[in-house]
Amino acid sequence: MRFLTKNLSLPVIVTWLIYVFLLVPSLVVIPISFGTSNELVFPPQDWGLDLYRRALDPAEGWLAAAGRSMVLGILATTIALLMGVPAAYGLSRSRFPGQKALTFMLMSPIFAPTIVVALALYLYFATLGMTGTMAALAMSHAVVITPFILVTTLSGLKHLDRNIENAAMVMGATRLQIFFHVVLPALKGSVLTGGLFAFLLSFDEVIVSWFIARSDQPTLPVKMYSSIQWEISPVLSAISTFLVAITVVGSVVAAFISSAETDGI
Amino acid sequence: MTTNKLSLQQVSKAYGYVDALHPTDLNVAESEFVTLLGPSGSGKTTLLKIIAGMERPSGGRVFINGRDTTETPVRERDLGMVFQNYALMPHLSVFDNVAFPLKVRKTGAEEIRRKVGEALGTVQLAHLADRKPQALSGGQQQRVSIARAIVYNPSLVLMDEPLGALDKKLREQLQHEIKQLHERLGITILYVTHDQQEAMSMSDRIALMNEGRIEQLGAPRELYFSPKTAFAADFLGNSNFIEATVSEVSAAATRCRLSGGEELLAPRRDGVRQGDAVRLMVRPEHIRLIGGDGAAEDNVLTASSLGPTFFGDALEIRAQIADGSEVSVKVANNFEVAAAAPGQPLRLGWSSDHTHLFASGSGR
């Protein structure tokens, strides 16, 4: 009994209640997804895999949308990594006028309301006649997720001993050799976590995609959102369960990478 | 005539209105071990950074191996460098760390294997080649870093307080190893430290730095036995300073009077005249305790003991002389402690040859 009272102090109970409060709404879709009803009902009356069958039926378009989101996520993350990692390195290792302003500019998509960014991107790509293309979608997402890559890479660089780079320079390495052979391997962890995080953000993004994507070729979140508007389909619960699973796996992998990195260095 | 491996000509550095380094000349000959010694803020790190090319000098020229490298990028200066915190690449094995400068130089795989093997053998770490640096002790990591700095035969190896992060025992052992390495391989080393014992035990020459300039340059013995300034006398080894006034200058010696009335003899020093206020310095180990009335030394002071302190290898006795200032005396550890109990009268004697005379208010 003492064991219980000792472990169930008020702060511990409150912490657990907050966890439950935060988690339950996401988890409630899981039992619903194993129901057979034609409406979103909790708890489900009959159990079955009907909803999953429908979610995986090509005719329903969910698979195509998921594939689109996957490709989009990979493209956007690649662009963001190619821009964000070198930008972070440059910003942390040099001093030049306007540096603060440039950093702020690169980070601004985090601060600006997404709807504003989305509208701006829409107007921009409309002028170029590119709305609805995968290229426009990927670039738009890259704009939104690059700041996150920048933040994780900058924090990784802060922990990197400057003298290691100095040593490499004295030993005759060029800036480029230092970046690829010294800095990048040491940043592997933060770049991977940042990339994974950025991918999840892109995969989850609704507002910008809503503006840019073609209405007959929606991304997964856009299709989910519009299907709620018209027909609150219970298939959504199956899709959501998939997404929860993917996010959990992604976060666990990210956590694993960053803890492995802290152990390694 | 051999060219100097390093030659600094009137090198200076100013940050805004602050002179971090006054115009400085320094030559380091081939196979020489020169140490920049000084307290923090003395300009030794600034000088090292200028030589490495990480800092631009405000004036003057830097020559490495006879070549003007003042404007040369860091990586083309042909230098090796050892840092206090080792600066090894955590993702590379010991072997790959040492191989790095060779790989950058596009050396062939066969030659890399041979040279890295040699270098690791030199620092006795060949058996740990496959380990990651984090798996090694501090002393081992610093040896890897030394191997990495010598494997490509740079013109000059810079060592920036390389033993500062190690404990005393290990520091002494590595001092010895670096010294041996230097003698065996004939590498040219510019070493930076604030530890005067380290500087004295390892260097061929010491450049003692203070307030942005080289205060005195010379062999360790020269700096220790003939310090040119009170700062040099104070920074290297232990020293006792006694305030006095010059009472007589003769051809052979300077006679000085203390405020307590005693007189002491010091060697003649140019520019010192009768009536000048001076500071006399004598090292604790040069003072003898004289029993009875025997005046075997030409400088004798009576004092009252403030008590002994035991240091293991020696005993330090602090004593107060007539003018109220304190003098410390270093004696063998088998000294009869009772004779130096607090309040005991003592007679301190030393040779006038061991007395150094400085103008009052200089240095410190």
Side-chain angles (χ1 to χ4, degrees), chain A residues 160-175 177-178 180-186 188 263-265, chain B residues 52 54 74-76 78-81 83-92 97 100-101 103-106 134 148 152:
Chain A
L160 201 62
D161 178 6
R162 284 293 297 270
N163 271 346
I164 297 180
E165 289 162 63
N166 285 336
M169 201 151 67
V170 172
M171 288 186 283
T174 60
R175 271 268 163 225
Q177 283 173 321
I178 293 174
F180 282 110
H181 297 301
V182 180
V183 176
L184 218 45
K188 206 169 49 192
D263 291 348
I265 294 175
Chain B
M54 293 167 193
V74 176
R75 63 190 169 84
E76 288 165 22
D78 191 27
L79 297 171
M81 189 153 178
F83 295 83
Q84 177 172 354
N85 57 359
Y86 326 130
L88 296 172
M89 291 154 210
H91 61 285
L92 295 181
N97 262 288
F100 185 85
K103 281 188 180 146
V104 164
R105 284 170 172 69
K106 310 246 182 293
Q134 310 88 276
R148 184 177 68 171
Y152 53 107

Side-chain angles (χ1 to χ4, degrees), chain B residues 107-122:
Chain B
T107 313
E110 191 50 48
E111 202 181 342
I112 288 182
R113 219 178 354 262
R114 187 176 56 79
K115 284 192 168 169
V116 172
E118 269 176 30
L120 284 177
T122 307

